[in-house]
Amino acid sequence: MAVWGGSFEKGDGVRITVIGGGVVGLSAALRLARRDHRITVVSADPLTETTTTVAGGLIYPRHAEPVERVARWTEVSVAEFHRLAEVPGTGVRFRPGALLRRTDRPMPPWADAVGGMTRDTDVAAPYTDALRCVSPLVNTGRYVAWLEAELRRAGVEFERRTVRALSDVADETDMVVNAAGMDAGRLAGDDTVRPARGQVVHIADPGLTEWIVDEDDFSYVLPHGDHAVCGGTEEFGEDSLEPDPDTTKDILRRCAALLPGIEDAEILRVKVGLRPHRDRIRLDREGDVIHCYGLGGVGVTLSWGCADEVADLAGR
């Protein structure tokens, strides 16, 4: 891999390989391409089969760390999703909803970043309060297809292969972005990344106009018009991609408690993904490698904020 110093500005055409075809890698690739870098995205899986396409698509960062950076990344992403909601075909919409909580605790540090969040204490047991806001809701299947089309229009090249080590691409590029999801820790020599298995059930959307989340029970119903995503699970250390029928029944039971009647909706499909969890998200530059991984279940939420920082790091 070339070792270079100095600053690369727009037009310098630095060759950058982005490892990872999920939303984090694709967003970073688009930001880099629009600064006139020459980008190749390398993905082990088809873009339509990454963990991103399993995600429910609600924009809120949950309990991700480090808090201050997460709030900033969220704010940047929400602003970009406001713009994308006006672009046909992105799958981005803004919808009202409620985040239900079972214990009394302060407003989350990212509440202002999401925008317009209010606290409602007039809720029935077992809930203590509901945080209400109008948040971006992303149909991840449509969104990934839109991202791919934008990247191809920007001249980004794609390769389908597994990168076993960063040295595999050393002779092909000037810089690497390690956004490889579950593989990112291995590539970085970091054993703190672990899978957090998530299973969701897609049902026919019965005409829902609001999303709802039970944060403490990790149950949610997220409407996308043609389907609604019911979830979910977060099984740390589990790496099976096979849907579990008993888990499907449990998800539908919990979601019916949130929205009675949902249990009668037609089941369209069941999907499973492995979130790349790390106690603290890593985003930094180490020589000619920019690491951006460990986002767990908040990859879509933080994608544009992280992409902007990746692009800034590449220009240093």
Side-chain angles (χ1 to χ4, degrees):
M1 188 179 302
V3 178
W4 42 264
S7 177
F8 286 83
E9 301 298 337
K10 185 172 181 177
D12 285 331
V14 178
R15 297 176 305 165
I16 302 177
T17 298
V18 177
I19 305 173
V23 67
V24 175
L26 297 182
S27 303
L30 190 55
R31 283 291 190 256
L32 291 164
R34 288 178 173 167
R35 297 193 186 190
D36 284 354
H37 298 305
R38 291 173 288 165
I39 309 301
T40 300
V41 173
V42 179
S43 178
D45 301 308
L47 302 189
T48 56
E49 296 178 16
T50 65
T51 299
T52 295
T53 61
V54 181
L58 178 65
I59 303 305
Y60 96 101
R62 298 180 63 211
H63 308 301
E65 298 279 351
V67 171
E68 294 81 6
R69 297 178 80 188
V70 164
R72 183 170 70 252
W73 292 330
T74 301
E75 185 175 14
V76 171
S77 292
V78 169
E80 182 68 0
F81 284 124
H82 269 286
R83 187 186 73 80
L84 292 178
E86 303 299 321
V87 178
T90 62
V92 178
R93 304 181 301 162
F94 275 72
R95 289 292 181 269
L99 180 65
L100 302 173
R101 306 192 298 179
R102 297 177 181 231
T103 60
D104 188 18
R105 51 189 185 268
M107 292 284 280
W110 43 261
D112 290 341
V114 173
M117 181 170 280
T118 60
R119 183 181 186 187
D120 178 8
T121 57
D122 186 19
V123 293
Y127 303 110
T128 300
D129 62 15
L131 305 183
R132 301 187 185 277
C133 66
V134 178
S135 180
L137 192 57
V138 181
N139 182 322
T140 53
R142 292 180 186 173
Y143 185 56
V144 166
W146 174 83
L147 275 174
E148 180 182 4
E150 287 295 295
L151 286 161
R152 293 190 184 278
R153 274 193 287 270
V156 172
E157 297 182 356
F158 290 84
E159 294 181 11
R160 171 92 182 278
R161 62 184 167 112
T162 299
V163 177
R164 302 296 179 186
L166 295 178
S167 58
D168 289 353
V169 297
D171 297 330
E172 308 167 7
T173 192
D174 300 309
M175 181 179 293
V176 171
V177 176
N178 176 19
M182 280 304 307
D183 287 335
R186 174 180 56 77
L187 292 174
D190 178 355
D191 62 3
T192 65
V193 180
R194 57 177 175 153
R197 182 183 183 276
Q199 180 167 318
V200 297
V201 182
H202 288 198
I203 63 171
D205 189 338
L208 302 174
T209 58
E210 299 188 6
W211 52 267
I212 189 167
V213 174
D214 181 334
E215 185 173 54
D216 298 294
D217 193 41
F218 202 58
S219 302
Y220 50 85
V221 182
L222 311 174
H224 290 287
D226 56 352
H227 73 281
V229 179
C230 295
T233 67
E234 193 167 43
E235 303 165 81
F236 292 102
E238 296 294 328
D239 59 5
S240 172
L241 289 172
E242 288 298 316
D244 178 68
D246 290 337
T247 299
T248 296
K249 292 177 183 177
D250 182 62
I251 288 171
L252 293 176
R253 176 191 60 79
R254 288 185 278 124
C255 290
L258 286 174
L259 288 174
I262 217 77
E263 67 274 17
D264 297 326
E266 177 189 0
I267 296 176
L268 302 177
R269 64 193 72 89
V270 180
K271 305 185 77 173
V272 176
L274 303 180
R275 307 178 186 93
H277 176 81
R278 190 174 188 264
D279 288 345
R280 291 174 69 85
I281 294 166
R282 182 179 183 185
L283 204 175
D284 58 39
R285 179 170 166 177
E286 190 175 50
D288 296 333
V289 179
I290 298 172
H291 296 286
C292 184
Y293 63 84
L295 282 78
V298 296
V300 181
T301 294
L302 305 183
S303 56
W304 290 113
C306 289
D308 280 355
E309 190 162 327
V310 167
D312 289 343
L313 287 172
R316 292 180 184 174

